[in-house]
């Protein structure tokens, strides 16, 4: 043990002899394997009892002394560059040393940086996991990856690792995560950015609200009833379906906001319950029911028929988005009339100048 320790200490002082160090490949790149061979051109079969050791910058490599004249290095990195040599020890403890060989490990700059998403296509459901995967087609050594949000470049995360890919995770995607993203990779030769990737957060529709609009307070046969359905939340486009007693009346699509409407010419069979459904491909939601009751055709003596109103009137019938309180009732109040004006109650005596005739219908929810 002591002679071996002395040899390690004295290795740089040993005189070169008929010993060669062969490096293959001679110009390695990062991440590639290298084989070191300690060769004695004048070695005879009777000289087989040799021990070999390989060195880099005065540091023994691998297992130290062994009977094998070869040393396999699985991966060479930039920091492995240096001065290499080998030594051979005879049975008589004579030490031979090769000439030094300078090995420079070459780093490959990063190239072809790309950003991909999981799930693919840049679309994710609200509440689901979103992963931004930054990749390089080539590049060696420690690579630093950076992720940015928006065109102005808000830095989200930075990772340095010896890999061609790295991931940035958003555990729970929200509506505010809908934005453009890009990543940057660099390994000492300057940053290389990816292209922009747009992320869309898909939001299921909320329960829609149905409103019925009639041209008068008491709808009659022949009137045109306007059904308006709107989901206050959800990704567009949204397809709306309209129902009377669970029978489909028709459908309408809303490519942006504002809901959709459907016009219905009333017949005697159209009394009953109305509802609507919203669907944007992420699940359908049905509104509460709205009940509309009316009788036969309007009388010719109806003052609403003979006296035109100075202001066109619409009478809305709303469903309640809250479970319970499902069916509104409608009351005729021909005498003591009360309507809301800018948040206050105005009695009929204040409105005689504007409405000297007719009936005001007020919608009540029990």
């Amino acid at each position: 043990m002591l002679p071996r320790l002395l040899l390690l200490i004295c290795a740089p002082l040993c005189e070169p002899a008929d010993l060669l160090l062969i490096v293959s490949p001679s110009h390695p790149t990062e991440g590639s394997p290298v084989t070191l061979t300690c060769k004695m051109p004048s070695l005879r079969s009777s000289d087989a009892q040799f021990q070999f050791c390989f060195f880099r910058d005065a540091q023994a490599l691998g297992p130290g002394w062994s009977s094998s004249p070869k040393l396999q290095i699985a991966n060479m990195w930039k920091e492995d560059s240096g001065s290499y040599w080998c030594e051979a020890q005879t049975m008589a403890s004579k030490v031979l040393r090769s000439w030094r060989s300078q090995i420079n490990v070459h780093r490959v700059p990063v190239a072809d940086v790309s950003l991909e998403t999981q799930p693919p296509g840049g679309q994710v459901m609200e509440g689901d996991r979103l992963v931004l995967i930054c990749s390089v087609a080539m590049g060696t050594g420690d690579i630093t990856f950076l992720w940015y949000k928006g065109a102005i470049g808000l830095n989200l995360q930075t990772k340095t690792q010896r890999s061609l890919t790295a991931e940035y995770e958003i555990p729970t995607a929200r509506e505010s995560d809908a934005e453009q993203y890009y990543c940057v990779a660099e390994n000492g030769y300057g940053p290389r950015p990816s292209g922009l990737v747009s992320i869309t957060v898909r939001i299921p529709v909320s329960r829609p609200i149905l409103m019925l609009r009639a041209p008068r307070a008491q709808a009659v046969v022949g009137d045109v009833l306007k059904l308006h359905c709107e989901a206050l939340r959800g990704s567009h486009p949204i397809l709306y379906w309209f129902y009377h007693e669970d029978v489909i009346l028709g459908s309408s699509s809303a490519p942006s906001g504002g809901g959709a409407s459907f016009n219905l010419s009333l017949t005697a069979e159209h009394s009953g319950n109305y509802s609507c459904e919203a669907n944007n491909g992420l699940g359908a939601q049905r509104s509460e029911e709205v009940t509309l009751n009316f009788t036969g055709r309007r009388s010719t003596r109806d003052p609403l028929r003979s006296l035109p109103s100075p202001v066109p009137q619409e009478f809305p019938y709303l469903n309640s988005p809250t479970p319970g309180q499902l069916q509104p009732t409608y009351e005729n109040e021909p005498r003591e009339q009360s309507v809301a004006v800018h948040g206050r109650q105005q009695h009929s005596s204040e409105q005689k100048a504007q409405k000297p005739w007719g009936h005001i219908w007020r919608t009540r929810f029990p």
Side-chain angles (χ1 to χ4, degrees):
M1 187 67 184
L2 183 58
R4 183 170 299 177
L5 180 60
L6 291 174
L7 286 173
L8 291 175
I9 297 174
C10 298
L13 304 177
C14 297
E15 292 298 327
D18 194 11
L19 197 62
L20 297 177
L21 175 65
I22 300 175
V23 181
S24 179
S26 58
H27 300 286
T29 58
E30 278 193 311
S32 64
V34 167
T35 300
L36 304 178
T37 303
C38 199
K39 187 175 181 181
M40 300 180 65
S42 60
L43 181 65
R44 300 183 300 272
S45 60
S46 60
D47 299 325
Q49 301 300 317
F50 273 84
Q51 294 287 310
F52 298 90
C53 189
F54 296 85
F55 298 87
R56 183 192 72 220
D57 299 332
Q59 181 180 1
L61 303 175
W65 291 93
S66 74
S67 59
S68 175
K70 293 187 177 183
L71 176 66
Q72 179 80 32
I73 302 175
N75 301 103
M76 292 286 284
W77 303 105
K78 186 74 172 177
E79 56 268 26
D80 294 324
S81 298
S83 179
Y84 287 75
W85 74 90
C86 68
E87 294 182 4
Q89 180 182 1
T90 66
M91 294 297 295
S93 298
K94 182 180 179 181
V95 177
L96 304 176
R97 194 186 74 177
S98 71
W99 292 102
R100 293 172 181 260
S101 295
Q102 181 66 31
I103 299 178
N104 294 315
V105 183
H106 299 280
R107 174 163 292 176
V108 178
V110 296
D112 298 330
V113 182
S114 61
L115 181 64
E116 298 177 343
T117 65
Q118 186 61 41
Q123 294 197 0
V124 61
M125 284 280 290
E126 185 181 43
D128 286 357
R129 176 174 175 262
L130 173 64
V131 181
L132 304 178
I133 306 168
C134 191
S135 304
V136 297
M138 62 179 64
T140 59
D142 290 339
I143 301 177
T144 299
F145 296 90
L146 306 96
W147 289 263
Y148 294 91
K149 179 180 181 180
I152 60 173
L154 172 64
N155 182 237
L156 299 172
Q157 191 177 46
T158 301
K159 283 184 179 179
T160 300
Q161 56 191 57
R162 193 163 283 175
S163 171
L164 296 179
T165 63
E167 297 181 354
Y168 170 70
E169 178 182 341
I170 300 176
T172 305
R174 301 184 180 183
E175 188 174 6
S176 58
D177 294 319
E179 185 53 276
Q180 290 184 318
Y181 294 81
Y182 67 96
C183 70
V184 171
E186 71 96 12
N187 64 348
Y189 292 91
R192 296 290 186 270
S194 72
L196 288 170
V197 172
S198 295
I199 298 297
T200 302
V201 179
R202 299 282 288 157
I203 304 172
V205 293
S206 59
R207 194 170 198 180
I209 297 174
L210 176 64
M211 175 181 284
L212 307 183
R213 290 192 176 98
R216 68 197 76 256
Q218 180 63 54
V220 298
V221 171
D223 283 345
V224 175
L225 181 69
K226 183 177 181 180
L227 294 81
H228 183 81
C229 188
E230 182 174 359
L232 300 181
R233 197 166 187 269
S235 299
H236 293 89
I238 301 175
L239 180 63
Y240 292 93
W241 292 87
F242 298 88
Y243 298 86
H244 173 244
E245 300 294 353
D246 290 329
V247 176
I248 296 176
L249 296 172
S251 65
S252 182
S253 179
S256 55
S261 298
F262 179 82
N263 292 332
L264 177 66
S265 182
L266 294 177
T267 67
E269 293 78 21
H270 283 146
S271 287
N273 296 322
Y274 290 82
S275 62
C276 69
E277 182 180 273
N279 192 339
N280 63 353
L282 306 175
Q285 289 284 346
R286 193 78 169 259
S287 73
E288 298 284 354
E289 290 184 334
V290 177
T291 301
L292 178 65
N293 294 317
F294 61 93
T295 55
R297 187 176 297 275
R298 184 177 55 212
S299 170
T300 58
R301 293 192 297 267
D302 189 338
L304 287 177
R305 187 178 183 91
S306 58
L307 295 176
S309 172
V311 180
Q313 300 294 309
E314 274 194 345
F315 296 85
Y317 303 83
L318 272 167
N319 72 292
S320 169
T322 307
Q325 308 284 338
L326 299 183
Q327 297 185 357
T329 59
Y330 310 92
E331 296 181 358
N332 188 356
E333 300 184 5
R335 299 184 181 275
E336 183 64 22
Q337 304 173 33
S338 176
V339 295
V341 179
H342 299 298
R344 66 183 182 89
Q345 295 296 314
Q346 184 179 32
H347 292 281
S348 58
S349 58
E350 300 178 65
Q351 299 189 33
K352 288 181 179 179
Q354 295 181 346
K355 298 183 180 179
W357 46 267
H359 301 278
I360 301 296
W361 291 84
R362 185 177 62 193
T363 302
R364 289 184 180 173
F365 292 93

